[in-house]
Every structure is written in C-alpha cells, then in structure tokens.
Amino acid sequence: MKLIVADYLAALLAWILFYALRKYILHEMSEGISFFLLGSAVMIATFWLLLYTLIGQYRDIFRKSRVKEITNLAQISFLGAIIIFFALLLDDEGVENYRSYYKTISTYFLLHFLITGIFRTITITSIKKLIRQGKISFNTLIVGSNANAREVYLELEKNNRHLGLKILGYLHVFQAIETLFVNELKNLGYYQKLPELIKKHNIEEVIIAIEPSEHKKIEEILGLMEGENVRISILPDLYQILLGSVKVNHLFGTPLIEIKQNLMPVWQEVLKRVIDVVASALFLLIFFPVYAMIAAMVKLSSPGPVFYKQERIGKHGKPFYIYKFRSMFIDAEKLGPSLSSDYDPRITSWGRFMRKVRLDELPQFWNVIIGDMSLVGPRPERQFFIDQIVKIAPHYKHLHRVRPGITSLGQVKYGYASSVDEMVRRLKFDILYIENMSLAMDFRVMLYTIKIIVEGRGK
C-alpha cells in the first residue's frame, strides 16, 4: 500500500510541475489550463497506477531491489510518457514546431522518472528498514538435513538481517536422520508433513536443500506443495550453474533456483482473458448456423441428446462441467469411465467425423466465456484418470495452476490419449507450455490446431 500511495503522489506532483514548466517551454499558457490540470492530474495518476499494475510492479513488493527498481522505472516511465504524449499532448495548440514536441515529452519523462524514483527509493528504503528491524518477516522452512542444507542455512542466517527470513525449522527427507542441525534449528519431522506445516505456521518460503541429483524426491516434494501459496527455491548443482539456468537472486547470499510462481506478466494475463471472452463470443455468434447444422446431424445420427456434459477438473483443482456435441451412443460408459480409441465401437459414424475435425469441442467456447476454460491450455481430465496419472507422475498437479483449454500443446503435438500411459507421455508437452506461457505461444498453438483441423488429423 505504501508503494501505491507513493506512486500516486509522485504521478500527481510530476504532472502539476510539468504544467508549471510548460509555459516556459511553449512561451505561453493555454486558456482553460487550470480546469484541464484539475481534471487531468487525477486521470494521469490513475493511468500510471494501472500501468504499473499491468506490468507487475506491485508483485512481491517486500523483496524489491532499489537499483533494479530504478532501471525498470526508467523503461516504464519512457513507455508511459510516450502513451500520454500521443493521447494528450500531440494535438497541443501551443506547440509551434517539432522542437517544442521534443522538449515537451522530454520534460515530462524526466520529471516523472526523477520524482517517482525519489518517492520509490524512500518507500523501499523504509520497507527494508522494517525488515532489518524484524517488523516484517517471512516464515521459512528448509527441506533437508545434510551438509548442503546446513550450508544453505548458515548462508541465509548470515544475510538474514536483509532477507527477513524467519527460519522456523527443517524437515528430514530420508529415513536416516542426521543431526547436523541439532543445536541450531528445530526438527519439524518428515518432509511429507509439508502441506500441514505450511498451513499451521503460515509458511511463505520453502527452500529445498537436498542433493540436486535426487530428481524423483524433489519432484515428490514439489508435488506436495502444488497449489500452496509459497515461494519455492531449490539448491542447484554445478551442471545447472554451468548451463546458465541458475540466476542469483539479490535476496540470497547463496545461488538457488527459484520456482516461478507468476507464469505470465499481469498485462498478458488480462489480455489473454479478454481475447478468450471476445473471440469465443464472436465465434458463437458468427458460427451459430454451423452449430445448428451439427446439432441436427447429431440428432439424426443416433437417439439421445445433442449435447453431452461431463465433470472435469479445472484450475486449482476445481470441478466443472465441460460441454461437447455428443459423439457416442447413449450409455457409452455404463460399465464405468474409459478412454476412447481409434476404432472405439461406442462412437457414432457422425461422431467419428466430428472428432477428426474437432467439431465435437465447439460447445466449449461457452465454457471459455463463463471462465471454466481458456482457448489454449492443458486439456482437462476426469478425477478418475487424474488419480491414476498422479500415481505415475505426481507433477501432473502442476497443470492445475492454469485454466484448461479447448486446445493445447499436448493435444497438437501428441494428440488424444487412449490410455493413462499416453496421458503421462503427453504431460511433458503441457508442462512445456506452462513453463513458456505467453500470448505468442497461444497464437502458435492455435495456428497449429487450425492446421490439424484442416488436415483432418484429429481422432
């Protein structure tokens, strides 16, 4: 809240000073300037807050670096000044030539950058002071009890005054309990208690400090924390450092791999949702006759309803009903849940064609509009199959960090899965999508989906 107030006041002051200097830049003061100033000052300050929010400036404000903030602020100030210039100052009647334009935009950019930079530096410094005094702290757990874990603990304790980490204890990972921490840190038990301890002690940070070669164990630990709102860091090995995958966070005195919590910038998240809703609504309106024709064909192909709904698991593990055009005979799953295959006798002749060109998925645009799904995202599965997948691949839960999609990278690269083993093999493509989420990636997946539909390579 302090940073938001500081940014708002800085934006107001910069705009007011800019107009005070404007008469010297343009050698006159336009009529009605006072009225314009009163109305525009609040609007401009609000614009800056919105811009900062969309770019993600108010994420993780307690761990900001003053030097990095000034660098980022210079870039954002330039972007915002350009937007304001074209929106409000380009048609300024007092401007006589292009030199005046350059002076106008340069003056505003410098004023905003300098004033906001001063306000932010003061605010962040005051926050860091509270951290050093222990008034702001972050409850932390260390997972591991070997020499590596102790080394990480000592490094963090040495820098703890600046980090604000309040290390509550450690958890054992392997059955052979070592006692390296016995006189330094509290033993909180076995690592499988992680979810319980996170809730009980309001944990905000977890550091996994076991051998990086223990991939399966690390995967299991990450699976336990899936869905928990905590920062996660992992101790890397020399090979990962040499590959350049390890970035030293300015908060830590030891190199750690931080698990990315925010998959996309805020502005991309907002724009992705806007595109989902607008594109889905337009598609439903434009292709309404196609929907009517498909519905008629479904009705003629076999007895039963036109639409079929089925419970699937969505974002954050929340169940929802997915809608499809019915492609199977009625009571196709009277013996229990089962996956379809290439020559599944339960599929109608018209249903087989719909699946090849993905027409059966068209009702899911309604799921997108109501917020259950996105245009692009991992395909949602039923809880029955998720329970089987998680036994083989616990990291499947990672997919629940995002909205499921009508199409996905896993679907276009691998296709429909007809068994749990195939679902697990397809999983790597969906994980790859999540770790590289962007609007550009969504666009490529949609283009590839159109290519598959045109070629009739669906199943």
Side-chain angles (χ1 to χ4, degrees):
M1 181 58 74
K2 277 187 175 182
L3 193 60
I4 294 173
V5 172
D7 284 343
Y8 190 81
L9 293 176
L12 280 174
L13 182 58
W15 187 252
I16 291 168
L17 287 178
F18 167 67
Y19 262 91
L21 291 172
R22 182 174 172 275
K23 62 181 178 182
Y24 296 106
I25 298 170
L26 303 179
H27 308 295
E28 64 176 342
M29 187 71 80
S30 299
E31 293 182 9
I33 191 68
S34 297
F35 174 77
F36 180 77
L37 178 58
L38 290 174
S40 64
V42 173
M43 180 184 70
I44 292 297
T46 304
F47 159 77
W48 281 107
L49 289 189
L50 180 61
L51 182 62
Y52 293 142
T53 301
L54 289 175
I55 294 175
Q57 288 288 289
Y58 300 127
R59 281 177 168 173
D60 207 16
I61 62 172
F62 295 113
R63 294 176 170 91
K64 286 187 177 292
S65 161
R66 280 164 288 196
V67 175
K68 191 174 180 181
E69 277 304 293
I70 293 300
T71 304
N72 291 339
L73 180 62
Q75 299 171 353
I76 299 168
S77 295
F78 181 76
L79 172 64
I82 292 295
I83 294 172
I84 289 172
F85 173 73
F86 281 103
L88 298 177
L89 304 175
L90 186 61
D91 297 325
D92 198 328
E93 295 179 358
V95 176
E96 297 176 350
N97 52 56
Y98 284 101
R99 284 188 178 181
S100 296
Y101 275 133
Y102 298 144
K103 287 181 182 179
T104 300
I105 188 63
S106 299
T107 300
Y108 181 61
F109 161 70
L110 289 172
L111 277 171
H112 182 85
F113 170 63
L114 291 173
I115 294 172
T116 306
I118 292 169
F119 274 56
R120 279 202 173 192
T121 301
I122 293 170
T123 304
I124 294 172
T125 300
S126 70
I127 291 172
K128 288 188 174 293
K129 184 178 179 182
L130 293 174
I131 291 174
R132 286 197 300 271
Q133 292 172 346
K135 294 178 180 178
I136 295 176
S137 61
F138 313 102
N139 291 345
T140 304
L141 290 179
I142 292 179
V143 179
S145 58
N146 57 13
N148 285 338
R150 186 171 188 272
E151 184 181 339
V152 169
Y153 166 71
L154 293 175
E155 282 279 1
L156 293 174
E157 278 298 285
K158 187 169 65 176
N159 295 284
N160 197 36
R161 184 165 171 265
H162 307 287
L163 305 177
L165 298 181
K166 185 179 180 181
I167 302 175
L168 302 183
Y170 70 96
L171 290 93
H172 288 292
V173 176
F174 303 101
Q175 294 292 346
I177 298 178
E178 301 178 32
T179 56
L180 290 174
F181 286 131
V182 69
N183 297 319
E184 298 167 333
L185 205 56
K186 186 178 180 181
N187 178 5
L188 295 174
Y190 204 44
Y191 76 98
Q192 290 179 329
K193 293 173 62 180
L194 254 176
E196 173 192 334
L197 290 171
I198 287 171
K199 292 178 176 66
K200 181 179 178 181
H201 298 290
N202 192 26
I203 299 300
E204 297 174 80
E205 189 123 10
V206 174
I207 298 167
I208 303 172
I210 65 175
E211 288 294 337
S213 57
E214 296 285 348
H215 298 300
K216 283 290 182 184
K217 193 62 72 175
I218 292 174
E219 184 180 303
E220 186 182 348
I221 293 168
L222 291 175
L224 287 171
M225 291 187 286
E226 191 62 55
E228 302 288 351
N229 186 27
V230 293
R231 288 167 65 99
I232 305 169
S233 297
I234 302 175
L235 184 70
D237 58 18
L238 181 61
Y239 182 66
Q240 290 168 318
I241 294 172
L242 290 173
L243 284 176
S245 59
V246 182
K247 305 300 179 186
V248 179
N249 193 311
H250 71 279
L251 292 175
F252 295 99
T254 186
L256 294 168
I257 299 175
E258 188 173 323
I259 303 298
K260 186 168 62 174
Q261 298 297 315
N262 303 311
L263 300 174
M264 297 175 76
V266 179
W267 70 269
Q268 286 201 28
E269 289 180 2
V270 173
L271 190 54
K272 178 180 171 69
R273 182 61 188 148
V274 170
I275 291 171
D276 281 347
V277 173
V278 173
S280 298
L282 287 174
F283 192 93
L284 288 172
L285 287 172
I286 294 170
F287 290 95
F288 179 77
V290 176
Y291 278 76
M293 184 200 73
I294 295 172
M297 291 299 295
V298 170
K299 202 68 180 172
L300 292 171
S301 65
S302 66
V306 169
F307 297 104
Y308 174 72
K309 74 174 184 178
Q310 189 179 72
E311 187 176 86
R312 299 287 177 98
I313 305 300
K315 189 175 181 181
H316 302 315
K318 181 182 176 183
F320 72 97
Y321 282 105
I322 194 172
Y323 296 96
K324 291 185 175 187
F325 282 118
R326 183 175 57 83
S327 60
M328 291 186 174
F329 293 104
I330 199 166
D331 294 329
E333 288 193 328
K334 60 185 177 182
L335 300 177
S338 60
L339 296 166
S340 64
S341 58
D342 288 333
Y343 303 103
D344 196 328
R346 300 174 301 163
I347 302 174
T348 66
S349 56
W350 171 248
R352 201 173 303 282
F353 170 76
M354 283 198 299
R355 288 183 169 221
K356 275 192 172 295
V357 292
R358 307 280 171 88
L359 293 178
D360 61 320
E361 312 282 4
L362 291 184
Q364 289 162 37
F365 283 101
W366 174 248
N367 285 114
V368 175
I369 290 175
I370 62 178
D372 291 331
M373 296 176 67
S374 177
L375 292 177
V376 180
R379 287 296 295 167
E381 298 294 347
R382 285 179 277 180
Q383 189 65 56
F384 176 82
F385 294 110
I386 291 174
D387 291 340
Q388 297 177 57
I389 296 168
V390 169
K391 291 177 183 177
I392 305 170
H395 53 284
Y396 178 87
K397 294 179 182 178
H398 191 60
L399 269 57
H400 292 156
R401 296 175 69 188
V402 300
R403 282 191 181 93
I406 293 178
T407 186
S408 70
L409 184 63
Q411 198 169 26
V412 299
K413 294 287 283 184
Y414 189 88
Y416 284 101
S418 57
S419 68
V420 171
D421 286 337
E422 288 186 0
M423 285 178 168
V424 173
R425 286 197 289 272
R426 187 178 66 183
L427 176 59
K428 67 179 180 181
F429 295 108
D430 288 326
I431 295 289
L432 184 65
Y433 166 77
I434 289 174
E435 291 303 318
N436 294 275
M437 274 185 72
S438 68
L439 293 177
M441 172 68 85
D442 281 7
F443 183 68
R444 288 196 292 270
V445 171
M446 285 191 281
L447 284 180
Y448 207 96
T449 301
I450 293 170
K451 182 174 182 287
I452 288 175
I453 291 172
V454 171
E455 294 175 353
R457 291 196 287 119
K459 182 169 78 172

